[in-house]
């Protein structure tokens, strides 16, 4: 994130070349996620975010992953389910609430281990970890502390909510 448009060029030098994704810290379902493909549009959006005192991040847009990502549900240090999410035509965001569809998928162990590590680093016992597959390997896009379960339960046939309740019950018995 930058504090003003004055520090924007310096920040961009650290993360690469256009296009970029601008993402506010607050929000869900891909709301207010912006694809910025020119210096003018990015400076304008940065100025607006600063004027509104809205915290945000700027990250590279991974062209190879446009419109698709992978969601791994981690519960108690275990990956319990995973799905591939594919955006609807013409959309770069793969959020289910934006019309994306999920399909059950078994991910390579490197992806599963990365998701488990990401949840652990964030100290989350329950997390939805979103991954992108790039030519350089998997990248963590986001670690969500309150992931939606409806689509992943539907596409995998798993009862993840029950798994979370079972884990929570066992965890409480250990700490009490």
């Amino acid at each position: 994130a930058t504090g003003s448009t004055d520090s924007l060029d310096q920040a961009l030098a650290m993360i690469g070349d256009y296009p970029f994704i601008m993402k506010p810290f607050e929000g869900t379902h891909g709301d207010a996620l912006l694809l910025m493909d020119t210096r003018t549009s990015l400076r304008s959006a940065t100025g607006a975010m600063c004027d509104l005192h809205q915290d945000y991040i700027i990250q590279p847009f991974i062209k190879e992953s446009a419109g698709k990502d992978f969601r791994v549900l981690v519960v108690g240090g275990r990956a319990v389910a995973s799905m591939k999410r594919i955006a609807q035509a013409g959309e770069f965001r793969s959020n289910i609430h934006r019309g994306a569809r999920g399909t059950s998928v078994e991910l390579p162990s490197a992806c599963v281990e990365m998701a488990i590590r990401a949840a652990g680093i964030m100290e989350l016992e329950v997390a939805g970890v979103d991954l992108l597959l790039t030519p350089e390997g998997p990248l963590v896009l986001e670690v969500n502390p309150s992931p939606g379960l409806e689509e992943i339960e539907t596409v995998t046939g798993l009862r993840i909510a029950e798994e979370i309740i079972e884990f929570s019950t066992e965890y409480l018995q250990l700490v009490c």
Side-chain angles (χ1 to χ4, degrees), residues 72 107-116 131 133 138:
V72 180
L107 292 171
S109 60
C111 293
V112 172
E113 290 167 14
M114 182 178 276
I116 292 168
L131 302 173
L133 297 184

Side-chain angles (χ1 to χ4, degrees), residues 7 34 83 86-87 92 97 109 118 139 144 156-157 164 166 169 175:
S7 58
L34 303 169
M83 72 175 168
I86 301 170
F92 71 95
H97 287 85
S109 60
L139 292 175
N144 189 325
T156 63
I164 293 169
E166 185 177 309
T169 302
V175 295

